[in-house]
Amino acid sequence: MTAIQDVSPAALCDLLVSEGIRRFFLVWDPDAERVIASHPIVEPLARLFEGDRRDFDRHEGVFVQVAPDSGVLQGVFLHRTCRGQGAGGVRFWRYNTVEELLRDGLRLARGMTHKNALAGLWWGGGKGVMARATGGAEDPAARRRIYEEYGELLTSLQGCYVTAEDVGTSVEDMAAVFSRTRFTTCIPPALGGSGNPSTPTARGVVRGMEAALAHLGRGSLAGKTVAVQGLGHVGEPLIGFLREKGVARVVGSDIDPSRGDDLRRKLPAAPGWELEVRTVERGDNSVLAEPADIVAPCATGAILGPRTIPTIQAPIVCGAANNQLEDPERDDQLLKESGILYLPDFLVNRMGIVNCADEQYGYVAVDPRVEAHLGDEWENSVYNLSLAVLDEARRTGATPARVALDLAERRSFDLHPVWGHRGAVIIRSLVENGWARG
Ligand code: NAI
């Protein structure tokens, strides 16, 4: 029989439903030092986590449901909630196997712990993952129902996780989530939210690039060449900002031809400005190998590894995509040995979640809080923190990612000044009160 982690998300849904199971959890028990599974049938997943050293990091809890109407497999991943509720976007993505989905959720949630802590937010690390193949998403009404059901899942989790937009999810989808739960951000402005956070994210990435150039003594962005993978919500405004900064040439790639057409229309060639966009096949990472000053991965994760790193000609890699390294330890080292300065995503792509977090406290058009993150004054701004991390890396010989990670880990254990380790308290109560039987 195929192991449960090796089946497709759709097959897992069928299996669970045939057993009369609608929800399951995998929760870390810090006293017993093991993962507790809600049902015997998912015990192998608990053992998978316990035996894993790469993606599982004593995550506080994973909560999964087969959505009652749409049948979509929907998950919430909580890594560490000392600083506050787990916060991070919900991804709607295709996964071949259950293990692939679980690993993505675990890695992304952990990344959010680090990102939120480095940004100085009082949030923990959390992430939502939904498996696309387990339900139709093309019909608008069906799609709306999928996100409503995700909202219902969050309501059942009583606030230990607050969601946001992520790959595959739109602001309209967030409105559907919001119609069923208050534990969401990134809702449309018409409903009192701040909308899509990608433009601030792009601005933050630009500040990271500027810090990297300054650190290497390479001056400003003016006249530089930047290669951008992914021309979506972040990639597109990023290229606009790069142009404003005087970048001379951008080479971009996307698997969707319409993205390039849009960009060419919006940013036509002009004296001192050249834009080359290519439509590529999924899995074609050749844009990373462009002769450039900076390579900016802004599509999917796990694209930096032994196959791509040796092809990179740029001295700097700095982009928005989450979890860019195929294997965090190995590939971080490989980048260093290749003489490439790599700014980890969680150091420079914070502005999306900052925008989301801050919208809960109201916002203004030119928000001084947001501007502080993007400016030169505040010591914890993207620019200054990136510079500090790069300096520390140079001083100690560690990689920037290692320095940033150590700092993020230390900060992630700081307890929320008002609520303490509230997420853990909520998770315990969910387990004790039979959440998985609901
Ligand atoms: P998006 O889905 O709007 O854009 C991604 C683009 O990459 C799409 O146009 C897609 O067609 C393209 N793409 C996918 N695979 C590709 C490949 N192999 N080669 C070239 N293009 C490819 O997503 P968005 O919002 O722009 O996010 C991009 C990355 O940044 C994601 O990894 C996301 O998790 C991360 N991120 C986004 C934030 C935000 O505020 N939107 C915040 C923090 C991280």
Side-chain angles (χ1 to χ4, degrees):
M1 203 181 115
T2 315
I4 192 167
Q5 63 266 29
D6 295 332
V7 304
S8 69
L12 177 66
C13 288
D14 292 345
L15 181 65
L16 293 172
V17 171
S18 73
E19 296 280 328
I21 299 169
R22 276 287 172 190
R23 293 173 171 175
F24 72 84
F25 63 68
L26 303 160
V27 165
W28 176 249
D29 179 340
D31 299 324
E33 298 239 316
R34 58 192 302 262
V35 178
I36 309 296
S38 58
H39 298 81
I41 197 168
V42 290
E43 277 286 343
L45 303 180
R47 303 291 85 78
L48 176 76
F49 283 7
E50 284 171 358
D52 184 71
R53 290 283 164 275
R54 198 185 69 187
D55 300 326
F56 183 72
D57 176 36
R58 300 175 174 214
H59 285 63
E60 291 175 2
V62 174
F63 296 86
V64 180
Q65 77 167 2
V66 183
D69 288 345
S70 62
V72 170
L73 193 68
Q74 301 179 321
V76 164
F77 293 73
L78 293 161
H79 174 236
R80 190 172 294 146
T81 61
C82 305
R83 292 182 70 93
Q85 296 157 293
V90 54
R91 174 165 293 199
F92 195 18
W93 201 241
R94 287 192 173 76
Y95 297 97
N96 293 320
T97 65
V98 170
E99 180 168 350
E100 236 180 61
L101 179 147
L102 291 174
R103 286 191 182 280
D104 205 31
L106 292 173
R107 290 176 71 171
L108 290 163
R110 188 162 178 245
M112 289 312 300
T113 293
H114 297 140
K115 190 189 310 190
N116 292 342
L118 283 185
L121 299 173
W122 288 110
W123 290 108
K127 200 81 186 182
V129 173
M130 302 201 293
R132 203 178 257 276
T134 51
E138 313 318 325
D139 169 56
R143 186 174 173 104
R144 184 172 172 84
R145 186 67 196 125
I146 291 169
Y147 282 92
E148 286 171 354
E149 291 190 291
Y150 197 69
E152 287 157 11
L153 171 63
L154 301 200
T155 293
S156 79
L157 293 174
Q158 299 176 195
C160 57
Y161 169 61
V162 179
T163 197
E165 209 187 335
D166 195 63
V167 177
T169 298
S170 69
V171 173
E172 294 73 53
D173 297 328
M174 300 319 293
V177 173
F178 183 57
S179 72
R180 293 297 188 276
T181 192
R182 67 189 182 85
F183 299 118
T184 183
T185 59
C186 296
I187 54 179
L191 297 174
S194 61
N196 189 300
S198 307
T199 301
T201 300
R203 287 181 68 197
V205 172
V206 170
R207 293 312 329 258
M209 291 176 174
E210 289 178 320
L213 288 169
H215 175 80
L216 292 180
R218 287 175 166 255
S220 73
L221 278 163
K224 300 290 191 296
T225 295
V226 182
V228 181
Q229 182 180 49
L231 311 175
H233 286 106
V234 178
E236 186 190 311
L238 175 74
I239 294 173
F241 292 130
L242 292 176
R243 191 186 163 183
E244 280 172 26
K245 293 274 181 185
V247 163
R249 176 173 149 80
V250 166
V251 188
S253 75
D254 204 292
I255 53 173
D256 175 352
S258 69
R259 306 282 191 167
D261 296 343
D262 267 7
L263 260 178
R264 273 187 220 101
R265 252 192 319 275
K266 286 180 188 155
L267 299 170
W273 168 249
E274 194 191 336
L275 173 67
E276 185 187 332
V277 281
R278 298 180 194 150
T279 303
V280 297
E281 296 292 316
R282 195 179 288 280
D284 176 343
N285 292 311
S286 56
V287 72
L288 306 177
E290 277 298 312
D293 298 283
I294 302 172
V295 164
C298 297
T300 52
I303 39 83
L304 299 175
R307 272 165 304 163
T308 52
I309 293 170
T311 69
I312 296 176
Q313 301 188 48
I316 295 167
V317 174
C318 174
N322 285 315
N323 297 335
Q324 291 163 36
L325 306 180
E326 223 175 276
D327 181 311
E329 298 265 333
R330 180 197 67 195
D331 300 330
D332 186 34
Q333 203 50 42
L334 189 54
L335 282 157
K336 181 173 192 255
E337 285 160 13
S338 309
I340 298 164
L341 194 65
Y342 167 64
L343 277 77
D345 42 73
F346 57 90
L347 179 62
V348 299
N349 72 3
R350 69 162 80 155
M351 287 313 296
I353 196 70
V354 166
N355 206 57
C356 293
D358 285 5
E359 90 180 13
Q360 301 218 325
Y361 295 87
Y363 50 91
V364 287
V366 181
D367 196 326
R369 270 274 307 185
V370 169
E371 295 310 312
H373 282 272
L374 293 169
D376 295 342
E377 310 258 303
W378 184 33
E379 62 175 16
N380 203 52
S381 71
V382 178
Y383 182 78
N384 285 331
L385 188 64
S386 298
L387 272 186
V389 162
L390 295 174
D391 287 349
E392 174 77 358
R394 178 178 279 157
R395 197 179 60 75
T396 59
T399 66
R402 185 73 257 164
V403 171
L405 196 62
D406 289 348
L407 177 63
E409 276 283 306
R410 284 199 299 280
R411 287 187 182 179
S412 74
F413 286 104
D414 291 345
L415 287 175
H416 188 290
V418 176
W419 294 101
H421 200 166
R422 174 83 161 178
V425 175
I426 296 175
I427 291 171
R428 203 160 45 241
S429 88
L430 293 170
V431 170
E432 286 168 3
N433 293 305
W435 176 85
R437 292 193 300 275

